[in-house]
Amino acid sequence: MNQPVDARLLQRAETFSDYLQNTATRIDQSAEARAERAGARVGVSRPHESAHLHVAGEAAYIDDLPELAGTLHCALGLSPVAHGTLTGLSLDRVRAMPGVVDVITAADLPGANDCGAIVPDDPILCDGEVRYLGQPVFAVVAQTRDAARRAAALARDALTISPLPPVLTPQQAHALQQYVLPPMHLARATTEGGAQAAIARAPHRLRGTLSVGGQEQFYLEGQISYATPKEDGGMHVHCSTQHPSEMQHLVARALNVPSNHVQVECRRMGGGFGGKESQSALFACVAAVAARRLRRPVKLRLDRDDDFLVTGRRHCFWYEYEVGYDAAGKVLGAEITLVSRAGHSADLSGPVMTRAMCHFDNAYWLPDVSMHGFSGKTNTQSNTAFRGFGGPQGAIAIENILDSVARTLGKDPLDVRRANFYGKAHNNVTPYGQTVTDNIIHELSAQLEASSGYRSRRAEIAAFNAASPVLKRGIALTPVKFGISFNVKHLNQAGALVHVYTDGSVLVNHGGTEMGQGLNTKVAQVVAHELGVGFERVRVTATDTQKVANTSATAASTGADLNGKAAQDAARQIRERLAACAAQLHGGEPAAVRFANDLVQVNGRQMAFCALVDHAYLERVQLWSDGFYATPGLSWDKDKMQGRPFFYFAYGAAASEVVVDTLTGEWKLLRADILHDAGKSLNPAIDIGQIEGAFIQGMGWLTTEELVWHPTSGKLTTHAPSTYKIPTANDCPPVLHCELFKGQNAEDSIHRSKAVGEPPLLLPFSVFFAIRDAVSAAGGHHTDPPLSAPATSESILRAITAVQAAQEA
């Protein structure tokens, strides 16, 4: 019997089918196929190297590893108070709980009670001053995880704390001049008197404030460490971390042993997004200390609620700004104060603020500018890295300013943005002194403007809004210029090991970590391309501090840039040795030997790659090599905040259209068009996936993901999926066009590709400003909307009320 078809389901199925078809057509598959037949292994779309394991449920994460005999489980006793002094610990009841083996406090640590990433100001366990609600005070080790958690839950009754008033907001911290680090200042003066004089001389001036919330990383795999004691004081730690070397050093300090006694290993993470760059340290240290103390393996896996309460996230920012501009909307002078909610310790707040200030300009030439950055010390979780690492918080401020300038002048915001773009031959030096030599924002934005039909759609939206009293639509097109490299020069280095076995198979190890972003896939492609072998011959192993030492974090979008180059260097050395061996065997010059499609062309002859490898082994040719790479040309004076902190810039733009219900504040993204610059992409399919994922994640930051602390207790009330709302599949727009801008990196990056981890997170600025456009329409476009981020339904309603009240007045 025929069943009726739900029209909505049919529409959704058709939409999804269109999406899949669109995904296939935006990658030139025929060109990729030709390149692969010719021997190319990069620039080719390949599935993620663990995709088959992900789908089958066989990809092993740390909690999937078989537990060794005698494994114990750890849980943390957390402070129920946001600020105060710890005056007493009554742990007898905790110790008496069923299954409890031990309870560890700060006094039991054999080494330093600190896990600070840069500044030693972050205790592993509370040692007197209570800094935030959720701070670990003691650790319970028990026979089972459930027993450990039940005992740790007695923390409220076990702790005696003399409470003090908490400081919770960046504004409060700023008013008290309470900071985790000294303030930062970055200024440029191209005319006499600098920014303030330029603002005073300008025909038009604008002052305002803006509040932008933080964002929880919400990795699918929570924080987890599994520590196993080894002989002679050694310690092996499986840790879900983006920075194994830092974990190694901090665990060694906590245990009071040399770094060579500690091995940290990570095969893969179930997501990181910056939340496992520095903040995995506390859990690695506690697990290792417990394992050393009890001489048994110890696993510490956080519950999701505890993960929210203990760890930090993207920094909330508050801004106060003043700008001067001309009749075209061109900025003549700007001064801005940026205040972040750093939390109770420095963590990575310094580099985050530096990057925010270095991205305030985004894609725009700001002739006279003065920036002041303050990292507010608050009694909240210590905030840390999150995809973009301060860049989004810096760039959204100038985008908000230009949007307000456009509305004040009655101009299209895109025209005002374009009037302020960096030039190519002039007006092309950033406020921190780096010349922009690879500027493609003019061509890229013009291409997207045309392909998205921006102008015609704006006219259609105006007509719709004139006839629709309740529903209002909005549209925005916003650009991205994002600097790629670590702000700290010495972090821009990487190492790798490549082994070729006698059967022709290849094993690769590098210092980067795989968190789902496809780093291992790209590195394997690079090695396969360099050796001229099939991708299937190459296997990438777990990141391990005993294989590649002193590595940098997989962060700042540099994973493929650094580790790809290091692996290429190692593979190239092996290829050159093999070429010399082939030339010795068959004659000709080593430089003329060609490797492709598992074959070696030498002096008019052809031999299998594995046959050459076997011969090379018999001839005692070294079939393994280490590789190293250091990004060239970087410089940075942290005191003057001047130099060349970035190797290159990645560009992009997005156009988004939304509809807003002015009675409820509900909104929906109707369509998004994305054009992003990945250079000469190593793997177009993976890059497009990263771009789309970053777009939706960034949209969540700016719209639905609201962090709320109780104003008196200091408790994070949005500490679970029930109260903290990340985007779901239903939040993806029914029309999503995402394409890669055709071109290549002007700098000698790995195969002239560009990073795609962080830059696309700025693309959903277009969603926020499309909502702002719709809110403005609710007031007849007569008032600049006071919309803060995240633009929740409540925030949207407040802004709508304000613009409508101003219209009536």
Side-chain angles (χ1 to χ4, degrees), residues 26-50:
R26 58 200 155 154
I27 299 173
D28 190 344
Q29 295 174 317
S30 59
E32 287 190 17
R34 289 194 300 272
E36 191 161 18
R37 284 195 298 272
R41 297 294 178 260
V42 295
V44 176
S45 294
R46 295 199 62 88
H48 190 286
E49 49 92 26
S50 292

Side-chain angles (χ1 to χ4, degrees), residues 81-343:
V81 174
H83 190 205
T85 303
L86 180 65
T87 58
L89 277 169
S90 302
L91 299 173
D92 290 344
R93 188 179 168 206
V94 177
R95 291 190 173 96
M97 287 289 287
V100 171
V101 176
D102 198 6
V103 179
I104 299 171
T105 67
D108 299 318
L109 300 179
N113 182 24
D114 179 74
C115 58
I118 300 174
V119 180
D121 66 346
D122 199 343
I124 297 169
L125 297 173
C126 177
D127 56 1
E129 180 190 3
V130 176
R131 301 181 174 199
Y132 66 100
L133 194 155
Q135 180 179 5
V137 182
F138 61 88
V140 178
V141 187
Q143 297 288 351
T144 67
R145 182 169 178 268
D146 186 60
R149 291 186 62 210
R150 287 180 184 277
L154 299 177
R156 180 177 293 275
D157 298 326
L159 307 178
T160 302
I161 300 172
S162 299
L164 294 168
V167 174
L168 301 176
T169 69
Q171 295 95 315
Q172 285 178 297
H174 190 47
L176 294 169
Q177 296 187 21
Q178 182 173 299
Y179 311 115
V180 296
L181 295 164
M184 300 179 186
H185 303 281
L186 197 169
R188 178 185 38 208
T190 62
T191 59
E192 186 176 353
Q196 275 299 320
I199 293 169
R201 290 192 299 265
H204 304 280
R205 289 180 291 279
L206 176 71
R207 302 185 69 172
T209 62
L210 175 66
S211 178
V212 175
Q215 185 180 21
E216 167 64 33
Q217 290 90 356
F218 216 107
Y219 23 67
L220 290 179
E221 178 198 30
Q223 298 280 4
I224 181 170
S225 287
Y226 186 22
T228 304
K230 298 293 183 180
E231 66 177 18
D232 198 24
M235 185 64 62
H236 184 189
V237 183
H238 288 278
C239 182
S240 184
T241 180
Q242 296 171 237
H243 202 343
S245 285
E246 184 174 278
M247 300 307 104
Q248 177 193 30
H249 299 153
L250 291 172
V251 167
R253 282 174 48 194
L255 295 177
N256 196 25
V257 299
S259 291
N260 65 2
H261 281 49
V262 178
Q263 176 186 7
V264 177
E265 184 176 349
C266 179
R267 170 60 183 93
R268 61 171 61 83
M269 285 168 277
F273 307 115
K276 297 175 180 175
E277 180 174 347
S278 62
Q279 300 227 337
S280 46
L282 187 151
F283 316 106
C285 289
V286 169
V289 166
R292 164 63 56 80
R293 180 179 170 91
L294 298 170
R295 298 185 179 182
R296 290 172 66 178
V298 173
K299 181 189 288 188
L300 198 172
R301 174 168 68 86
L302 284 194
D303 175 81
R304 179 68 66 178
D305 286 281
D306 288 349
D307 201 322
F308 265 81
L309 289 174
V310 175
T311 64
R313 45 200 56 87
R314 184 187 298 281
H315 292 67
C316 313
F317 266 63
W318 178 79
Y319 315 82
E320 189 172 28
Y321 58 83
E322 183 178 15
V323 294
Y325 56 95
D326 63 18
K330 192 169 183 179
V331 174
L332 304 175
E335 183 159 20
I336 185 167
T337 294
L338 307 90
V339 186
S340 71
R341 180 193 269 122

Side-chain angles (χ1 to χ4, degrees), residues 32 128 207 224 314 329 336 356 384 394 425 455 526 550 705 772:
E32 287 190 17
R207 302 185 69 172
I224 181 170
R314 184 187 298 281
I336 185 167
T384 188
R455 297 293 176 179
V526 167
N550 306 320
E705 299 184 43
R772 204 169 190 262

Side-chain angles (χ1 to χ4, degrees), residues 214-216 218 308 705-707 718 720-726:
Q215 185 180 21
E216 167 64 33
F218 216 107
F308 265 81
E705 299 184 43
E706 186 175 26
L707 295 163
T718 51
S722 58
T723 50
Y724 185 83
K725 299 300 182 182
I726 65 172

